[in-house]
Amino acid sequence: MTNSRDLNGFAELEPQLDAAVRAILSELVPDEAVDRVKARAKQLATPSVSRPTVSTPALRRWKRVWLVPVGIAAALLMALFLLPSTSSTALADIVAAVAGKPWLLAKGTGPDGEPAEIWFSAQNGVMAYRQGKTAIFVDQQQGTLDAFGGPADPGSVQRMPLAHTPRQGIEAARESFLALLSGDVQRAMQQGGQRVFEHTSKTVRLEGREWVEHRFMVGHAGQEGLRTETILRVDPQSNLPVSWRMRCGEKTLLDCQVSYPDHGPLTIAALGVPASAPLVDLTPRAEFKQILAATKAARRRFDSYHALVIESSRAGRREGGLCYQIWRSGNRWRVDQCRLPADVKAPEEANADAWWLAKSKELRSYPLEICDGKRLWTFSPVRAELGRLDPQDPQFVLIDSLQRRADDLLDREDPRSYSYMRQMPEFYAYEHLSQGASFGFRAEVRTVEEKGRPLTRVDIIKTSRGRPKDISPRRFWLDVNRSHMMVRKELYWVSKPDQPEGASEVVASARTPQGLSYPTTVREIGNAISLEDNSRSDTYVRYYLEFEVEIPDKLFDGEAVDVKKFWTQLP
Amino acid sequence: MRDDQRPDWDQIVEKHAGRVFRIALRILGSIHDAEDVAQDVFVEAIRLRGAGPVQSWAGLLVRLATLRAIDRVRRTRPTHELLESDCVCAAGPLEEAVASELAQWLRAAVGQLPDQQAVVFGLTYFEQLPRDEVAASLGISAEAVSTALYKARQRLMSRLSVFDEGGLR
């Protein structure tokens, strides 16, 4: 009997390939991750569990630390305010009663059973939360969120701009919250993406008197497992809530009594944060704010287009590679995967742009991502069976159907693609740069001159010694003369802030009919590595755009995609 | 206990979760993604369990883990996101950097192989399964494993720095 290594031919493996395999095998498999996999998989056998909540490496845990309190507060406010005005006049009375009080204080236990308190004042535009050593203070009037006890630097207060708090979960809560503080209920519903799915009320008798209990189910469409149940017990005389309980599944998030003091916290210091805690101010300075506004405007205003986008390791514009077809119209887009055979080349004598765009009409494609401005659908191909090739196109495997997933857009004002930021020219060119406002990071802006051209350089710099480690420092070069288009970016390891680990740059650009610049060729520098000599090579992303083209509305209806007959067909 | 006796789900998970996660991690290089893939694999497996008896849980889960991980590699490459916390290496800084680059290259390149070659390569070298076990897991002959492995290696070596030939994917 031969041992497995001989059977596997390890000894015969080419040296460079062998080194690469051994590099992968040298990576540790963390036991705690295996334990998490087991725990979640075991839950699947429980009939009441649809799909366990994905979590919880340390990285995700710290995000949740911030998500929970802000989400709780937003969910409360959603429950209080986000009902159609016609659904209940009694609720309108509750809203008015709470808004008439200077402060609402909910005091009891939080998600882990620890003492927690939430303060809310519509009059002051303040929401504050305290649990254990964690404190969060949101000041809508100043547009800031102060956090103490976070993993980025537990001993300091991190001040974030509300408008640029990253992470989708927080965005939903934040947008709802801000809109509510502004008194704009409709916008809160649109912005936050949350919905009240169910509302019931009943009269209960306790301690010799009657109360009205309102029950709300609040959450995002398509995420049933994450909906929260809120029960507010209301005094029918004053219309003021007196108790508040929230659960997500079997987990109690909050169990509080509600009171209405005359005074409340107007700074995070009033929540018990030590006076000696230094303030790390991560709010963007005026110049950076202006850049953020400019890039956001360019993303939103970008012309409607149809594009063929090709990734290739070859420098020539005539070579094919991974291929995408993209349509954009207003705030809607669709990204298709094209089946482009490997040997397709544009003829030498042809105009490459025109040739590829004409070629796009012949290519079979299926949707990967569709956004209609409100919802975003993602599609994953389900293969028929292992190794079976498509008889119609034997260079490719046979796809049996598409798997569809739909999510509400969390930020309709500034939507972004989930997976195709590199392929969509407006998203590549006009970076969100939002990491400049992340916990533990700050942005520095300066003017530099390169090749005789003035450029704006944005450095995203890590400011803390602790987590998060997953966000890499970045450096962006923007060209003010080309509508703030990003012309180069570099990425760094946290541990090697002076040595770029990856970079990409705009090799060629053009302007849309509206005058916005966009890349026609992007070079991703050194992202391919030769096993023979460890030398690096580049990947090129080429964008062939046409603007004067009819774009049918039906392309943006993700529900209309037949997952069995999924090949895109244009009228 | 034989696999076809519909064993208790917890036992199946306990027995195979480590391997499922390890396969996904080797192919993806990201703990987060590997956890997601492992979860998807078990969701898919429990559906299949409901549809009828499973002849070999080990084979089914190994196959699903490999295929789903390769699917994800294809969907996510190359992102330029530097997930430092995902890189769990035992070597020193210099070796780590070199190893990381090599590993990143190989993952991307394997993701570009045809399904069968990618799966066979992954199981053989990342999971270090003997040829017969790879064959049993995939329901193909041992000779087909050898052929796929040979082609995979040839393809990887011939392409080296070519990540995106745009063909089979």
Side-chain angles (χ1 to χ4, degrees), chain A residues 438-561:
Chain A
S438 295
F439 286 110
F441 286 79
R442 66 183 163 82
E444 280 187 2
V445 178
R446 71 193 71 188
T447 301
V448 296
E449 189 172 303
E450 295 208 359
K451 297 174 186 171
R453 262 189 329 185
L455 296 175
T456 302
R457 198 179 90 192
V458 178
D459 289 359
I460 308 298
I461 297 165
K462 192 168 190 288
T463 59
S464 70
R465 294 181 301 278
R467 292 176 183 278
K469 286 185 175 176
D470 67 315
I471 301 172
S472 47
R474 293 165 183 230
R475 183 169 287 174
F476 302 94
W477 284 260
L478 312 181
D479 190 342
V480 181
N481 293 318
R482 285 190 278 180
S483 49
H484 284 93
M485 180 178 74
M486 183 187 73
V487 294
R488 182 181 173 86
K489 72 174 169 184
E490 292 179 353
L491 306 152
Y492 302 80
W493 292 108
V494 169
S495 54
K496 299 174 191 167
D498 302 319
Q499 182 183 331
E501 183 64 23
S504 71
E505 65 182 14
V506 173
V507 176
S509 68
R511 285 187 191 272
T512 70
Q514 294 187 131
L516 290 171
S517 292
Y518 68 94
T520 53
T521 304
V522 166
R523 182 164 70 112
E524 296 179 327
I525 300 168
N527 71 333
I529 301 163
S530 163
L531 282 183
E532 280 197 329
D533 56 7
N534 283 340
S535 63
R536 287 174 176 256
S537 58
D538 304 335
T539 296
Y540 291 85
V541 184
R542 294 199 170 76
Y543 307 83
Y544 302 104
L545 270 66
E546 56 184 347
F547 299 96
E548 304 299 329
V549 60
E550 188 177 344
I551 301 175
D553 286 341
K554 76 166 199 172
L555 282 174
F556 306 109
D557 184 355
E559 290 301 323
V561 173

Side-chain angles (χ1 to χ4, degrees), chain A residues 312-317 319-321 342 538-540 542, chain B residues 162 164-166:
Chain A
S312 167
S313 61
R314 291 170 281 273
R317 292 176 66 81
E319 310 284 345
D538 304 335
T539 296
Y540 291 85
R542 294 199 170 76
Chain B
V162 182
D164 48 2
E165 70 176 10

Side-chain angles (χ1 to χ4, degrees), chain A residues 86-118:
Chain A
T86 55
S87 69
S88 167
T89 52
L91 285 168
D93 292 339
I94 296 172
V95 172
V98 171
K101 291 288 183 183
W103 286 93
L104 175 153
L105 168 61
K107 197 167 182 178
T109 54
D112 302 317
E114 283 186 48
E117 60 185 53
I118 294 176

Side-chain angles (χ1 to χ4, degrees), chain A residues 67-320:
Chain A
L67 174 64
V68 167
V70 182
I72 284 174
L76 164 71
L77 300 170
M78 297 287 291
L80 271 176
F81 296 100
L82 285 195
L83 293 163
S85 56
T86 55
S87 69
S88 167
T89 52
L91 285 168
D93 292 339
I94 296 172
V95 172
V98 171
K101 291 288 183 183
W103 286 93
L104 175 153
L105 168 61
K107 197 167 182 178
T109 54
D112 302 317
E114 283 186 48
E117 60 185 53
I118 294 176
W119 295 82
F120 169 69
S121 171
Q123 295 174 12
N124 292 292
V126 165
M127 189 276 286
Y129 178 87
R130 176 165 67 176
Q131 183 181 14
K133 293 178 180 174
T134 301
I136 290 180
F137 182 85
V138 177
D139 188 329
Q140 189 264 343
Q141 292 177 4
Q142 290 194 44
T144 54
L145 182 153
D146 289 355
F148 176 78
D153 197 345
S156 70
V157 174
Q158 305 265 318
R159 174 163 294 170
M160 296 283 297
L162 275 178
H164 303 297
T165 308
R167 307 302 174 200
Q168 291 173 345
I170 292 181
E171 276 173 15
R174 181 254 304 167
E175 292 291 346
S176 299
F177 178 66
L178 285 182
L180 285 168
L181 287 176
S182 308
D184 188 343
V185 173
Q186 289 305 317
R187 183 168 153 257
M189 292 189 77
Q190 291 168 1
Q191 293 291 320
Q194 296 198 70
R195 298 176 186 170
V196 177
F197 288 92
E198 191 182 332
H199 169 226
T200 56
S201 64
K202 64 179 180 182
T203 301
V204 295
R205 189 165 186 85
L206 289 169
E207 298 169 353
R209 58 168 298 186
E210 287 188 345
W211 309 87
V212 179
E213 272 193 0
H214 292 275
R215 176 180 171 276
F216 311 96
M217 294 300 289
V218 179
H220 289 277
Q223 297 181 1
E224 284 77 5
L226 297 176
R227 287 181 189 167
T228 54
E229 179 192 54
T230 297
I231 296 175
L232 280 179
R233 185 175 298 157
V234 176
D235 179 347
Q237 307 300 320
S238 64
N239 287 317
L240 290 170
V242 295
S243 74
W244 169 24
R245 280 180 288 139
M246 286 183 61
R247 290 190 310 184
C248 183
E250 295 302 310
K251 185 174 175 58
T252 298
L253 298 176
L254 202 71
D255 191 352
C256 289
Q257 299 300 307
V258 182
S259 59
Y260 300 89
D262 290 332
H263 302 284
L266 289 176
T267 69
I268 197 168
L271 296 173
V273 171
S276 58
L279 174 69
V280 180
D281 190 351
L282 303 171
T283 53
R285 298 295 171 261
E287 191 177 4
F288 188 46
K289 278 185 184 173
Q290 192 257 331
I291 290 170
L292 292 171
T295 51
K296 178 179 175 180
R299 285 192 299 274
R300 293 184 58 192
R301 295 168 176 170
F302 202 80
D303 306 47
S304 299
Y305 66 83
H306 163 247
L308 194 71
V309 178
I310 297 178
E311 294 177 32
S312 167
S313 61
R314 291 170 281 273
R317 292 176 66 81
R318 310 196 173 278
E319 310 284 345

Side-chain angles (χ1 to χ4, degrees), chain A residues 8 27 36 38 40-42 51 59 312 322 338 340 342 383 395 474 491 529 531-532 536, chain B residues 9 14 26 32 35 40 77 80-81 84 88 101 105 107 115 125 129 160 164-166 168-169:
Chain A
N8 292 344
E27 294 172 359
R36 286 194 295 269
K38 286 180 183 174
R40 287 204 298 269
K42 285 176 182 175
R51 190 176 191 278
L59 175 63
S312 167
L322 277 176
C338 294
L340 178 65
R383 301 187 198 293
Q395 281 201 53
R474 293 165 183 230
L491 306 152
I529 301 163
L531 282 183
E532 280 197 329
R536 287 174 176 256
Chain B
W9 177 250
E14 197 61 44
R26 296 284 189 239
H32 302 160
E35 285 190 47
D40 289 343
R77 71 150 216 109
H80 270 314
E81 294 294 328
E84 188 173 65
V88 187
E101 289 176 355
W105 177 88
R107 286 184 172 113
D115 269 358
Y125 290 113
L129 293 184
L160 288 175
D164 48 2
E165 70 176 10
L168 291 160
R169 49 180 175 257

Side-chain angles (χ1 to χ4, degrees), chain B residues 39-105:
Chain B
Q39 177 71 357
D40 289 343
V41 165
F42 281 111
V43 167
E44 200 169 343
I46 205 167
R47 283 194 194 123
L48 293 171
R49 178 194 192 218
V54 173
Q55 296 301 316
S56 165
W57 279 102
L60 173 71
L61 291 168
V62 161
R63 189 168 69 245
L64 286 176
T66 315
L67 284 169
R68 297 300 165 256
I70 287 169
D71 282 347
R72 186 169 285 227
V73 165
R74 290 170 178 162
R75 286 206 306 271
T76 57
R77 71 150 216 109
T79 63
H80 270 314
E81 294 294 328
L82 303 178
L83 298 176
E84 188 173 65
S85 60
D86 278 359
C87 183
V88 187
C89 301
L94 180 62
E95 293 81 1
E96 183 181 318
V98 173
S100 172
E101 289 176 355
L102 283 170
Q104 192 179 351
W105 177 88

